[in-house]
Amino acid sequence: MDKADIGVTGLATMGRNLARNFAHHGHVVAVHNRTQNRTTAFMDQHRDEGAFLAAGSVEEFVASLRRPRKAIIMVKAGAPTDAVIEELAAHMEPGDMIIDGGNALYADTRRREAALRERGLHFVGAGISGGEEGALNGPSIMPGGAPEAYETLGPLLEDVAAKVDGTPCCVHVGPDGAGHFVKMVHNGIEYSDMQLIVESYDLLRQALGLSPQELADVFREWNRGDLESYLIEITTEVLGHTDAATGRPFVDVVVDQAEQKGTGRWTVQSALDLGVPVTGIAEAVFARALSGHPDQRTAARSLAGPQEKGAADGADLVEDVRRALYASKIVAYAQGFDQIAAASAEYGWSIDPGAMATIWRGGCIIRARFLDRIREAYEARPTLPTLLVDPTFAAALADAQVSWRRVVATAATIGVPTPGFSSALAYYDALRRDRLPAALLQGLRDYFGAHTYRRVDREGAFHTDWSGDRVERPA
Ligand SMILES: NC(=O)C1=CN([C@@H]2O[C@H](COP(=O)(O)OP(=O)(O)OC[C@H]3O[C@@H](n4cnc5c(N)ncnc54)[C@H](OP(=O)(O)O)[C@@H]3O)[C@@H](O)[C@H]2O)C=CC1
Ligand SMILES: O=C(CO)[C@H](O)[C@H](O)COP(=O)(O)O
């Protein structure tokens, strides 16, 4: 066999299936893994699926690639990725390309891209979403890096990416860390989407006493309308699943402590730095954190709760929750796209938000019918100040808002926590307010720290001498 078109190192869940995906599309694929057993097992299971070149060492792996070499890393983020980059780079030549397909922090990607550029190598940080199944059958791919790297690499990635209406779910996002940044925000939105789904489940179960099986039917019905998405679809599967060992609903035998690998947390950390209020994602991250404090939760169980335990009208509440879920989802996506826009401006990435909505329509975890509407919104008005004011979304919010308020009120009345719904509604109400109490806040800051304020009727900064004559002077 000749040289390989592309190589994949790291043959765990994602790398294994990505390598198979390339092979299924007729590419010759070099495969390598730090622990050789995994490579051997891969070849034993998949050698008949396409043209693979198995390498026992990094040197052999690099040597098996056609120039300019393209090696995709699918290993754990952080130090392991740095170690693999170093090993690969040592054997590469100018013009070759290292692609990190893992969930790397965008700042690491920026650092690595700059360092490899100095050595004449291309480094492409490419977010890949879709999990195990997506990697095999077509993920959504978010590559960053130099445009000239994409010229060579892009056709290969677009070949294996998911397609929606014939359009690949892969586009060059922008320079250096842009791809991994967008993947990070994708994951933050994924956290938010999931939080809103679990709040819907919890509220309907607590308020109406519906069983997980009955709730699976509710979500199945919702998946036929505006909420149609992969996450709603798999919610029906998980809620409808029965534990074989006990015969109980699967959700009732799983420990109620949510884990996280970190991309949601990174999204919020970055949003804090950029000053973008991603309240939906932040609440989702904190809800996971709260669930992971069993000692506090046990101690707090005896605290006073509400008198009312259930809601009155079942059918109405189900429809109200559906609308609240849709409205809160619009808010979460609006916030995520704001964060992408802020980072794009900060780092000079020129990210096209409509293109991001386009490549998230298929292959990835947040794929949904809804993303087509976001694409259309940015197509109609590329400089949309917030997705909330797009006419389609503004109408949807107007349609949902009464239900949304009832849901938040019902949840508070019967003591079911809905931080996702509540924070999304608070954001919506804050954004549409004529005057915010931030004016009083500015006054307080000026009072205790002479931090100054601006006036509604004059240019400039001012300070009032609060402890003295209370006369205002230009600062
Ligand atoms: N799993 C998922 O659904 C998704 C994962 N991702 C991202 O894709 C990447 C791969 O994920 P996944 O397939 O789940 O695998 P893991 O994140 O579980 O990583 C396992 C792989 O990393 C290798 N590895 C770990 N440390 C080192 C090291 N120091 N040097 C060399 N190789 C090392 C392992 O090699 P060995 O066999 O020798 O231990 C193995 O091949 C990660 O960055 C992940 O965040 C992205 C989207 C979805
Ligand atoms: O990248 C992904 C999908 O796009 C992973 O599934 C995601 O990392 C899962 O995150 P967490 O473990 O933090 O819930």
Side-chain angles (χ1 to χ4, degrees), residues 9-16 32-36 38 73-81 83-84 87 100-104 127-133 183 187 190 261 263 365:
T9 178
L11 299 175
T13 311
M14 291 295 285
R16 184 175 56 229
H32 170 263
N33 193 76
R34 174 183 63 174
T35 308
Q36 171 110 33
R38 232 194 253 271
I73 303 175
M74 290 306 292
V75 307
K76 285 191 192 304
T81 301
V84 176
E87 283 182 275
D100 177 13
N103 278 332
I128 301 183
S129 179
E132 192 171 9
E133 187 265 333
K183 174 58 171 35
N187 280 24
E190 174 184 305
K261 297 212 180 80
T263 45
I365 304 297

Side-chain angles (χ1 to χ4, degrees), residues 202-470:
D202 194 25
L203 181 57
L204 291 175
R205 191 167 184 189
Q206 299 308 315
L208 305 177
L210 296 177
S211 68
Q213 191 65 56
E214 287 168 322
L215 284 162
D217 293 339
V218 168
F219 279 96
R220 193 168 294 112
E221 188 54 39
W222 289 357
N223 204 34
R224 298 198 176 99
D226 287 334
L227 288 169
E228 182 190 321
S229 61
Y230 170 70
L231 284 170
I232 297 278
E233 181 193 320
I234 65 170
T235 301
T236 67
E237 299 291 327
V238 177
L239 283 176
H241 185 62
T242 302
D243 173 50
T246 61
R248 295 172 61 197
F250 170 78
V251 277
D252 290 346
V253 300
V254 175
V255 174
D256 60 345
Q257 293 174 31
E259 296 174 17
Q260 55 182 308
K261 297 212 180 80
T263 45
R265 188 176 61 242
W266 289 348
T267 311
V268 178
Q269 285 168 337
S270 144
L272 289 171
D273 289 339
L274 292 165
V276 181
V278 292
T279 55
I281 300 169
E283 289 297 351
V285 173
F286 286 133
R288 289 195 194 195
L290 187 150
S291 77
H293 285 279
D295 293 348
Q296 279 187 326
R297 290 174 57 194
T298 303
R301 211 155 284 156
S302 57
L303 295 175
Q307 298 297 317
E308 292 181 45
K309 292 281 187 217
D313 192 322
D316 284 356
L317 186 64
V318 170
E319 177 56 12
D320 277 351
V321 172
R322 188 190 67 79
R323 286 165 183 242
L325 177 50
Y326 189 53
S328 304
K329 185 179 167 92
I330 295 172
V331 167
Y333 280 68
Q335 295 177 342
F337 275 87
D338 284 351
Q339 183 171 357
I340 290 173
S344 180
E346 173 76 16
Y347 301 115
W349 285 335
S350 304
I351 297 176
D352 172 0
M356 299 308 104
T358 303
I359 64 168
W360 287 349
R361 292 181 307 164
C364 64
I365 304 297
I366 66 170
R367 62 184 180 262
R369 177 201 286 203
F370 171 76
L371 281 151
D372 240 337
R373 288 196 203 113
I374 299 183
R375 180 185 59 77
E376 285 161 10
Y378 282 114
E379 216 166 72
R381 196 173 160 195
T383 55
L384 204 56
T386 161
L387 269 179
L388 304 193
V389 301
D390 166 76
T392 307
F393 290 125
L397 291 164
D399 187 46
Q401 64 146 337
V402 174
S403 293
W404 198 4
R405 293 179 196 288
R406 264 197 305 260
V407 164
V408 171
T410 302
T413 304
I414 67 172
V416 175
T418 54
F421 287 151
S422 311
S423 73
L425 181 58
Y427 177 87
Y428 173 74
D429 280 335
L431 212 56
R432 60 179 199 83
R433 276 292 290 277
D434 185 25
R435 295 270 301 153
L436 286 170
L440 171 59
L441 199 145
Q442 283 293 82
L444 298 174
R445 292 180 66 247
D446 190 56
Y447 189 105
F448 64 68
H451 292 300
T452 77
Y453 51 89
R454 287 176 292 126
R455 294 182 55 97
V456 295
D457 52 2
R458 264 178 282 151
E459 287 296 312
F462 299 89
H463 168 60
T464 290
D465 182 6
W466 296 100
S467 55
D469 57 13
R470 300 217 163 188

